[in-house]
Amino acid sequence: GQQLNQSPQSMFIQEGEDVSMNCTSSSIFNTWLWYKQDPGEGPVLLIALYKAGELTSNGRLTAQFGITRKDSFLNISASIPSDVGIYFCAGRGETSGSRLTFGEGTQLTVNP
Amino acid sequence: KAGVTQTPRYLIKTRGQQVTLSCSPISGHRSVSWYQQTPGQGLQFLFEYFSETQRNKGNFPGRFSGRQFSNSRSEMNVSTLELGDSALYLCASSFRTGGREQFFGPGTRLTVL
């Protein structure tokens, strides 16, 4: 079945630093979604990507849909303490309906 | 517009019991997907319902079932609970099956003792 490898698993950074994380898939996806999850809550959608090569920003967040359709990355610029949380990538194949395959998550810690 | 709501937020059950969880999607959304989240397995897809029909199913045993009502609200049921069923159960709604964006609810934390 489809598998997503997300890296890094965890990051410890200082406030103000930039962050980058990525996901690679064994299969082609037609949609990439990036979510952030706080403890005890559901994932919150950050950015959605629908086209190979697409680069989309949401405030300090920027994500790209890889041209091979098998990878995506998320950048966070000038990190702040409230960026702390777990970031997940999720991909959806063309015949998957609404079924999302999730990466393992990146735990981000920001030191003030 | 209200977000996805899930009830209850927390549940404690014992092995062998059954449980029903409820999800109300965003108004106008007709697709509801269910996911199980555990520390060991991460987020795993359970099933998707659209227009009261199951459209997709993940690799879970038949003890896990669901349904969707005409108002798009969905329930999932787990029978004969096992310790390993302890997890955060999340539902996600989208406008239609394969809809571009999916929005998650806060989840139901199920603990099986």
Side-chain angles (χ1 to χ4, degrees), chain B residues 35-54:
Chain B
Y35 293 82
Q36 181 196 64
Q37 185 175 28
T38 59
Q41 299 298 317
L43 279 144
Q44 300 286 320
F45 173 80
L46 281 155
F47 29 65
E48 177 202 358
Y49 285 86
F50 176 72
S51 292
E52 302 175 63
T53 302
Q54 188 180 88

Side-chain angles (χ1 to χ4, degrees), chain A residues 10-71:
Chain A
S10 61
M11 301 184 76
F12 297 83
I13 63 170
Q14 294 297 125
E15 183 176 358
E17 289 184 353
D18 297 344
V19 169
S20 185
M21 58 193 79
N22 68 82
C23 281
T24 57
S25 167
S26 58
S27 306
I28 288 174
F29 286 133
N30 67 350
T31 300
W32 283 97
L33 304 172
W34 284 92
Y35 290 88
K36 177 176 181 266
Q37 186 176 27
D38 292 326
E41 298 295 328
V44 174
L45 182 63
L46 299 173
I47 290 182
L49 303 158
Y50 308 112
K51 197 171 156 185
E54 180 181 357
L55 186 72
T56 297
S57 292
N58 177 8
R60 294 179 295 105
L61 277 61
T62 301
Q64 184 158 30
F65 192 142
I67 56 172
T68 65
R69 297 171 64 192
K70 290 186 176 183
D71 62 321

Side-chain angles (χ1 to χ4, degrees), chain A residues 31 33 35 37 40-43 45 48 50 88 92 96-100 102, chain B residues 9 31 35 37 43 45 48 56-57 94 97-102 104-106:
Chain A
T31 300
L33 304 172
Y35 290 88
Q37 186 176 27
E41 298 295 328
L45 182 63
Y50 308 112
F88 290 97
R92 186 176 65 224
S96 299
S98 292
R99 177 180 188 153
L100 295 176
F102 280 83
Chain B
R9 290 293 309 273
S31 169
Y35 293 82
Q37 185 175 28
L43 279 144
F45 173 80
E48 177 202 358
N56 251 304
K57 190 174 187 307
S94 60
T97 186
R100 293 196 134 194
E101 297 171 329
Q102 286 191 47
F104 281 84

Side-chain angles (χ1 to χ4, degrees), chain A residues 80-98:
Chain A
I80 58 178
S82 63
D83 290 334
V84 165
I86 304 178
Y87 292 79
F88 290 97
C89 62
R92 186 176 65 224
E94 196 154 345
T95 58
S96 299
S98 292

Side-chain angles (χ1 to χ4, degrees), chain B residues 20-23 30 49-53 66-76:
Chain B
T20 299
L21 313 181
S22 179
C23 172
R30 294 166 58 204
Y49 285 86
F50 176 72
S51 292
E52 302 175 63
T53 302
R67 60 178 175 167
Q68 187 179 35
F69 302 94
S70 58
N71 62 357
S72 296
R73 190 178 70 86
S74 176
E75 289 180 348
M76 69 162 278

